[in-house]
Amino acid sequence: LAKVEIGGTKGTTLTATIQQIKNDFQDSVDAIKNLEYDIMDIQATQFDSEYSAFRKFVKEIERRLGAVIGLALDDCETIYGRFQLVDMFDRKLLERPIIQDEVEVKQIRLIQSYGKDLKIVQDEFIKYRSNPPKDTMQNLPPIGGSLTWCRGLLARASI
């Protein structure tokens, strides 16, 4: 999370929120690391309550992070941007159950919208493959214009 930077209209706020989540988590880890007593001592029962509080805090952090990722996915305007956002986060982080619950619906919608976009590209290619649109071929010879048009469709379909 240290290097995560989110773009979009809410990018600065979401990036600051992620950095705050990272700092909160690091503070809680440091608190566990710097306990005043020996955690291996069986008779020291304080660790049980502190570890339980730590686990509750981690779950809350996961909820917060899932909500931020969901807001960031909503803020992205392009399919490519959404895929970049998902790739920005570590796969193991996104597989945590609480975060996965928050983000799963949005990931399903992302894949569905990518499928719709591929269908549009396919339909456009089938419709214009024998006679590409003239506006894409300005100042180009016919074959060069057709190749440029095809490359544009391919770029649109590629992530």
Side-chain angles (χ1 to χ4, degrees), residues 130-144:
S130 60
N131 190 17
K134 301 293 183 208
D135 60 338
T136 60
M137 301 188 310
Q138 294 174 355
N139 299 326
L140 292 173
I143 304 266

Side-chain angles (χ1 to χ4, degrees), residues 140-159:
L140 292 173
I143 304 266
S146 296
L147 290 172
T148 301
W149 175 73
C150 285
R151 284 187 187 135
L153 291 177
L154 185 61
R156 184 173 168 186
S158 299
I159 291 182

Side-chain angles (χ1 to χ4, degrees), residues 121-134:
V121 169
Q122 178 186 14
D123 293 343
E124 189 171 330
F125 177 76
I126 291 170
K127 182 177 179 182
Y128 294 112
R129 71 178 163 197
S130 60
N131 190 17
K134 301 293 183 208

Side-chain angles (χ1 to χ4, degrees), residues 1 9 20 45 49 51 89 105 117 119 123 130 137 146 153:
L1 292 179
T9 57
Q20 184 61 47
T45 58
S49 63
Y51 184 68
F89 291 96
V105 172
D117 200 39
K119 180 70 173 142
D123 293 343
S130 60
M137 301 188 310
S146 296
L153 291 177

Side-chain angles (χ1 to χ4, degrees), residues 1-157:
L1 292 179
K3 297 180 182 179
V4 171
E5 190 165 326
I6 299 173
T9 57
K10 300 175 187 171
T12 306
T13 305
L14 294 174
T15 300
T17 303
I18 286 179
Q19 293 307 314
Q20 184 61 47
I21 289 170
K22 178 192 144 303
N23 292 338
D24 291 348
F25 177 74
Q26 193 60 50
D27 291 345
S28 67
V29 168
D30 290 342
I32 292 289
K33 282 182 180 179
N34 298 324
L35 292 175
E36 302 271 327
Y37 53 87
D38 182 17
I39 62 171
M40 299 303 276
D41 184 7
I42 296 173
Q43 296 178 357
T45 58
Q46 305 110 315
F47 181 73
D48 292 338
S49 63
E50 290 189 27
Y51 184 68
S52 176
F54 174 75
R55 288 185 55 157
K56 287 178 186 176
F57 185 72
V58 167
K59 286 182 181 182
E60 178 59 32
I61 291 262
E62 288 176 355
R63 279 189 204 92
R64 287 171 49 196
L65 187 58
V68 170
I69 293 171
L71 287 172
L73 283 170
D74 288 341
D75 193 43
C76 284
E77 293 189 16
T78 64
I79 294 171
Y80 181 70
R82 289 183 188 121
F83 274 110
Q84 278 186 318
L85 180 68
V86 171
D87 283 344
M88 190 183 312
F89 291 96
D90 184 42
R91 182 69 45 208
K92 291 182 181 181
L93 184 66
L94 292 175
E95 289 175 355
R96 298 192 60 98
I98 294 173
I99 295 175
Q100 194 174 29
D101 289 345
E102 294 280 338
V103 179
E104 186 174 20
V105 172
K106 296 185 191 252
Q107 285 179 325
I108 290 170
R109 277 194 245 140
L110 171 61
I111 293 169
Q112 288 172 341
S113 63
Y114 180 62
K116 288 177 186 175
D117 200 39
L118 285 178
K119 180 70 173 142
I120 291 169
V121 169
Q122 178 186 14
D123 293 343
E124 189 171 330
F125 177 76
I126 291 170
K127 182 177 179 182
Y128 294 112
R129 71 178 163 197
S130 60
N131 190 17
K134 301 293 183 208
D135 60 338
T136 60
M137 301 188 310
Q138 294 174 355
N139 299 326
L140 292 173
I143 304 266
S146 296
L147 290 172
T148 301
W149 175 73
C150 285
R151 284 187 187 135
L153 291 177
L154 185 61
R156 184 173 168 186

